[in-house]
Amino acid sequence: MIKPESYSRSQLFCLVTLRVVIGWHFLYEGVVKVLNPNWSAQHFLLDSDGWFASFFELLANSSALPIVNCLNIVGLLLIGLSLITGFLSKYGCIGGILLLLSYTLSHPAFIGSDYIMPSEGSYLWIDRNIVEIFAMLVLIYFPTSRIIGLDRFFSKKSY
């Protein structure tokens, strides 16, 4: 079992804050999509580039699109809740990494890629999704949910 004394107070504060902030980002993105009845992943998928563009474009134009939309929203909501509450946060991080990897495979940060969807800046291989993936890897290897989180009440064994 991870003990509170495994981390200094400042380390614990920073790691828990990182977990909650990433969780908020996922939860907010899911809520925004739920509240917008016209939201669909179709435009994002059709705007794909890179090695897997044809796969994502196929998803966008198939009967599987409603399932993709639902999985995206539910994934965002569950990952966000998991990280904010510290309940099954290791699995929340793994789910978040997989979801962000799918976004990255759809819209890789390559030189010369020109996407219709607005971006937040100019990137060379490393974009905000990659940064968030590595932040979640840190949270997997430096878990805090068994110190501050619901995992503390539901789990007896350590990571």
Side-chain angles (χ1 to χ4, degrees):
M1 179 114 183
I2 297 165
K3 298 181 178 13
E5 55 272 3
S6 301
Y7 303 111
S8 71
R9 289 179 128 197
S10 59
Q11 288 171 325
L12 186 59
F13 174 79
C14 289
L15 288 168
V16 170
T17 301
L18 179 64
R19 190 186 80 214
V20 171
V21 167
I22 292 173
W24 172 258
H25 179 231
F26 275 87
L27 183 63
Y28 179 77
E29 288 294 327
V31 168
V32 166
K33 288 165 180 52
V34 167
L35 295 177
N36 181 353
N38 297 319
W39 179 84
S40 174
Q42 185 174 33
H43 297 295
F44 180 81
L45 295 170
L46 289 173
D47 194 32
S48 296
D49 194 15
W51 302 299
F52 299 98
S54 58
F55 170 72
F56 290 111
E57 290 167 6
L58 178 70
L59 284 176
N61 293 316
S62 75
S63 59
L65 183 62
I67 295 167
V68 170
N69 289 339
C70 183
L71 287 174
N72 191 34
I73 291 171
V74 170
L76 288 166
L77 294 171
L78 290 177
I79 293 162
L81 288 171
S82 168
L83 295 177
I84 289 170
T85 63
F87 181 63
L88 300 174
S89 63
K90 178 180 181 180
Y91 299 106
C93 284
I94 292 168
I97 289 168
L98 293 174
L99 190 59
L100 290 174
L101 277 174
S102 73
Y103 296 167
T104 300
L105 291 174
S106 174
H107 285 72
F110 292 151
I111 294 175
S113 291
D114 190 28
Y115 299 110
I116 295 169
M117 306 291 286
S119 67
E120 297 172 348
S122 300
Y123 301 107
L124 177 59
W125 304 308
I126 307 296
D127 63 5
R128 65 185 167 111
N129 292 330
I130 299 295
V131 172
E132 208 163 30
I133 286 169
F134 278 94
M136 284 189 282
L137 283 171
V138 168
L139 294 173
I140 289 172
Y141 288 101
F142 297 94
T144 59
S145 61
R146 296 193 182 180
I147 300 168
I148 297 176
L150 294 179
D151 284 343
R152 178 179 180 186
F153 303 109
F154 294 105
S155 181
K156 299 273 182 194
K157 63 182 189 176
S158 65
Y159 279 85

PDB file of all heavy atoms in Angstrom, residues 131-145:
ATOM      1  N   VAL A 131       1.602  15.617 -24.757  1.00  0.00           N
ATOM      2  CA  VAL A 131       1.974  16.103 -23.422  1.00  0.00           C
ATOM      3  C   VAL A 131       1.048  15.490 -22.370  1.00  0.00           C
ATOM      4  O   VAL A 131       1.506  15.013 -21.324  1.00  0.00           O
ATOM      5  CB  VAL A 131       1.925  17.653 -23.371  1.00  0.00           C
ATOM      6  CG1 VAL A 131       2.113  18.155 -21.950  1.00  0.00           C
ATOM      7  CG2 VAL A 131       2.981  18.243 -24.299  1.00  0.00           C
ATOM      8  N   GLU A 132      -0.250  15.455 -22.658  1.00  0.00           N
ATOM      9  CA  GLU A 132      -1.198  14.892 -21.697  1.00  0.00           C
ATOM     10  C   GLU A 132      -1.015  13.377 -21.547  1.00  0.00           C
ATOM     11  O   GLU A 132      -1.186  12.834 -20.456  1.00  0.00           O
ATOM     12  CB  GLU A 132      -2.629  15.235 -22.130  1.00  0.00           C
ATOM     13  CG  GLU A 132      -3.589  15.330 -20.996  1.00  0.00           C
ATOM     14  CD  GLU A 132      -4.865  16.055 -21.356  1.00  0.00           C
ATOM     15  OE1 GLU A 132      -5.307  16.018 -22.518  1.00  0.00           O
ATOM     16  OE2 GLU A 132      -5.449  16.651 -20.435  1.00  0.00           O
ATOM     17  N   ILE A 133      -0.645  12.699 -22.614  1.00  0.00           N
ATOM     18  CA  ILE A 133      -0.352  11.260 -22.532  1.00  0.00           C
ATOM     19  C   ILE A 133       0.797  11.027 -21.549  1.00  0.00           C
ATOM     20  O   ILE A 133       0.713  10.154 -20.673  1.00  0.00           O
ATOM     21  CB  ILE A 133      -0.012  10.681 -23.927  1.00  0.00           C
ATOM     22  CG1 ILE A 133      -1.283  10.560 -24.769  1.00  0.00           C
ATOM     23  CG2 ILE A 133       0.704   9.334 -23.802  1.00  0.00           C
ATOM     24  CD1 ILE A 133      -1.026  10.259 -26.234  1.00  0.00           C
ATOM     25  N   PHE A 134       1.860  11.794 -21.677  1.00  0.00           N
ATOM     26  CA  PHE A 134       3.012  11.607 -20.789  1.00  0.00           C
ATOM     27  C   PHE A 134       2.681  12.008 -19.354  1.00  0.00           C
ATOM     28  O   PHE A 134       3.180  11.397 -18.408  1.00  0.00           O
ATOM     29  CB  PHE A 134       4.251  12.322 -21.326  1.00  0.00           C
ATOM     30  CG  PHE A 134       4.949  11.511 -22.374  1.00  0.00           C
ATOM     31  CD1 PHE A 134       4.673  11.714 -23.717  1.00  0.00           C
ATOM     32  CD2 PHE A 134       5.842  10.511 -22.021  1.00  0.00           C
ATOM     33  CE1 PHE A 134       5.289  10.944 -24.693  1.00  0.00           C
ATOM     34  CE2 PHE A 134       6.465   9.741 -22.985  1.00  0.00           C
ATOM     35  CZ  PHE A 134       6.191   9.959 -24.333  1.00  0.00           C
ATOM     36  N   ALA A 135       1.819  13.009 -19.192  1.00  0.00           N
ATOM     37  CA  ALA A 135       1.385  13.378 -17.840  1.00  0.00           C
ATOM     38  C   ALA A 135       0.607  12.225 -17.200  1.00  0.00           C
ATOM     39  O   ALA A 135       0.776  11.936 -16.009  1.00  0.00           O
ATOM     40  CB  ALA A 135       0.533  14.637 -17.880  1.00  0.00           C
ATOM     41  N   MET A 136      -0.216  11.527 -17.996  1.00  0.00           N
ATOM     42  CA  MET A 136      -0.956  10.385 -17.444  1.00  0.00           C
ATOM     43  C   MET A 136      -0.037   9.202 -17.168  1.00  0.00           C
ATOM     44  O   MET A 136      -0.289   8.433 -16.227  1.00  0.00           O
ATOM     45  CB  MET A 136      -2.113  10.012 -18.357  1.00  0.00           C
ATOM     46  CG  MET A 136      -3.259  11.005 -18.213  1.00  0.00           C
ATOM     47  SD  MET A 136      -4.747  10.517 -19.062  1.00  0.00           S
ATOM     48  CE  MET A 136      -4.302  10.947 -20.722  1.00  0.00           C
ATOM     49  N   LEU A 137       1.018   9.053 -17.939  1.00  0.00           N
ATOM     50  CA  LEU A 137       2.012   8.020 -17.617  1.00  0.00           C
ATOM     51  C   LEU A 137       2.654   8.316 -16.262  1.00  0.00           C
ATOM     52  O   LEU A 137       2.894   7.404 -15.467  1.00  0.00           O
ATOM     53  CB  LEU A 137       3.080   7.934 -18.709  1.00  0.00           C
ATOM     54  CG  LEU A 137       2.676   7.219 -19.987  1.00  0.00           C
ATOM     55  CD1 LEU A 137       3.748   7.390 -21.061  1.00  0.00           C
ATOM     56  CD2 LEU A 137       2.415   5.745 -19.722  1.00  0.00           C
ATOM     57  N   VAL A 138       2.944   9.576 -15.999  1.00  0.00           N
ATOM     58  CA  VAL A 138       3.479   9.960 -14.685  1.00  0.00           C
ATOM     59  C   VAL A 138       2.493   9.562 -13.596  1.00  0.00           C
ATOM     60  O   VAL A 138       2.879   9.011 -12.561  1.00  0.00           O
ATOM     61  CB  VAL A 138       3.780  11.481 -14.640  1.00  0.00           C
ATOM     62  CG1 VAL A 138       4.049  11.941 -13.217  1.00  0.00           C
ATOM     63  CG2 VAL A 138       4.956  11.812 -15.544  1.00  0.00           C
ATOM     64  N   LEU A 139       1.202   9.813 -13.829  1.00  0.00           N
ATOM     65  CA  LEU A 139       0.189   9.483 -12.822  1.00  0.00           C
ATOM     66  C   LEU A 139       0.050   7.977 -12.609  1.00  0.00           C
ATOM     67  O   LEU A 139      -0.281   7.536 -11.511  1.00  0.00           O
ATOM     68  CB  LEU A 139      -1.162  10.091 -13.211  1.00  0.00           C
ATOM     69  CG  LEU A 139      -1.214  11.611 -13.196  1.00  0.00           C
ATOM     70  CD1 LEU A 139      -2.546  12.098 -13.758  1.00  0.00           C
ATOM     71  CD2 LEU A 139      -0.982  12.145 -11.790  1.00  0.00           C
ATOM     72  N   ILE A 140       0.306   7.187 -13.647  1.00  0.00           N
ATOM     73  CA  ILE A 140       0.274   5.732 -13.483  1.00  0.00           C
ATOM     74  C   ILE A 140       1.433   5.278 -12.597  1.00  0.00           C
ATOM     75  O   ILE A 140       1.261   4.448 -11.706  1.00  0.00           O
ATOM     76  CB  ILE A 140       0.320   5.014 -14.849  1.00  0.00           C
ATOM     77  CG1 ILE A 140      -1.009   5.211 -15.592  1.00  0.00           C
ATOM     78  CG2 ILE A 140       0.620   3.522 -14.671  1.00  0.00           C
ATOM     79  CD1 ILE A 140      -1.003   4.710 -17.026  1.00  0.00           C
ATOM     80  N   TYR A 141       2.604   5.840 -12.827  1.00  0.00           N
ATOM     81  CA  TYR A 141       3.791   5.397 -12.095  1.00  0.00           C
ATOM     82  C   TYR A 141       3.988   6.091 -10.754  1.00  0.00           C
ATOM     83  O   TYR A 141       4.764   5.623  -9.931  1.00  0.00           O
ATOM     84  CB  TYR A 141       5.041   5.540 -12.976  1.00  0.00           C
ATOM     85  CG  TYR A 141       5.051   4.493 -14.057  1.00  0.00           C
ATOM     86  CD1 TYR A 141       4.672   4.809 -15.354  1.00  0.00           C
ATOM     87  CD2 TYR A 141       5.372   3.173 -13.769  1.00  0.00           C
ATOM     88  CE1 TYR A 141       4.649   3.829 -16.340  1.00  0.00           C
ATOM     89  CE2 TYR A 141       5.345   2.201 -14.739  1.00  0.00           C
ATOM     90  CZ  TYR A 141       4.987   2.532 -16.024  1.00  0.00           C
ATOM     91  OH  TYR A 141       4.954   1.563 -16.986  1.00  0.00           O
ATOM     92  N   PHE A 142       3.285   7.174 -10.536  1.00  0.00           N
ATOM     93  CA  PHE A 142       3.297   7.866  -9.249  1.00  0.00           C
ATOM     94  C   PHE A 142       1.849   8.066  -8.800  1.00  0.00           C
ATOM     95  O   PHE A 142       1.343   9.185  -8.802  1.00  0.00           O
ATOM     96  CB  PHE A 142       4.041   9.215  -9.350  1.00  0.00           C
ATOM     97  CG  PHE A 142       5.485   9.073  -9.692  1.00  0.00           C
ATOM     98  CD1 PHE A 142       5.903   9.146 -11.012  1.00  0.00           C
ATOM     99  CD2 PHE A 142       6.429   8.853  -8.702  1.00  0.00           C
ATOM    100  CE1 PHE A 142       7.243   9.000 -11.340  1.00  0.00           C
ATOM    101  CE2 PHE A 142       7.763   8.714  -9.021  1.00  0.00           C
ATOM    102  CZ  PHE A 142       8.177   8.783 -10.340  1.00  0.00           C
ATOM    103  N   PRO A 143       1.186   6.966  -8.434  1.00  0.00           N
ATOM    104  CA  PRO A 143      -0.245   7.034  -8.126  1.00  0.00           C
ATOM    105  C   PRO A 143      -0.520   7.785  -6.823  1.00  0.00           C
ATOM    106  O   PRO A 143       0.257   7.730  -5.878  1.00  0.00           O
ATOM    107  CB  PRO A 143      -0.637   5.564  -8.001  1.00  0.00           C
ATOM    108  CG  PRO A 143       0.622   4.872  -7.606  1.00  0.00           C
ATOM    109  CD  PRO A 143       1.737   5.631  -8.268  1.00  0.00           C
ATOM    110  N   THR A 144      -1.624   8.487  -6.830  1.00  0.00           N
ATOM    111  CA  THR A 144      -2.031   9.228  -5.631  1.00  0.00           C
ATOM    112  C   THR A 144      -3.435   8.866  -5.169  1.00  0.00           C
ATOM    113  O   THR A 144      -3.825   9.226  -4.070  1.00  0.00           O
ATOM    114  CB  THR A 144      -2.005  10.741  -5.895  1.00  0.00           C
ATOM    115  OG1 THR A 144      -2.904  11.035  -6.979  1.00  0.00           O
ATOM    116  CG2 THR A 144      -0.613  11.215  -6.228  1.00  0.00           C
ATOM    117  N   SER A 145      -4.187   8.150  -6.003  1.00  0.00           N
ATOM    118  CA  SER A 145      -5.595   7.908  -5.682  1.00  0.00           C
ATOM    119  C   SER A 145      -5.788   7.005  -4.463  1.00  0.00           C
ATOM    120  O   SER A 145      -6.862   6.997  -3.871  1.00  0.00           O
ATOM    121  CB  SER A 145      -6.322   7.315  -6.886  1.00  0.00           C
ATOM    122  OG  SER A 145      -5.751   6.075  -7.243  1.00  0.00           O
TER     123      SER A 145
END
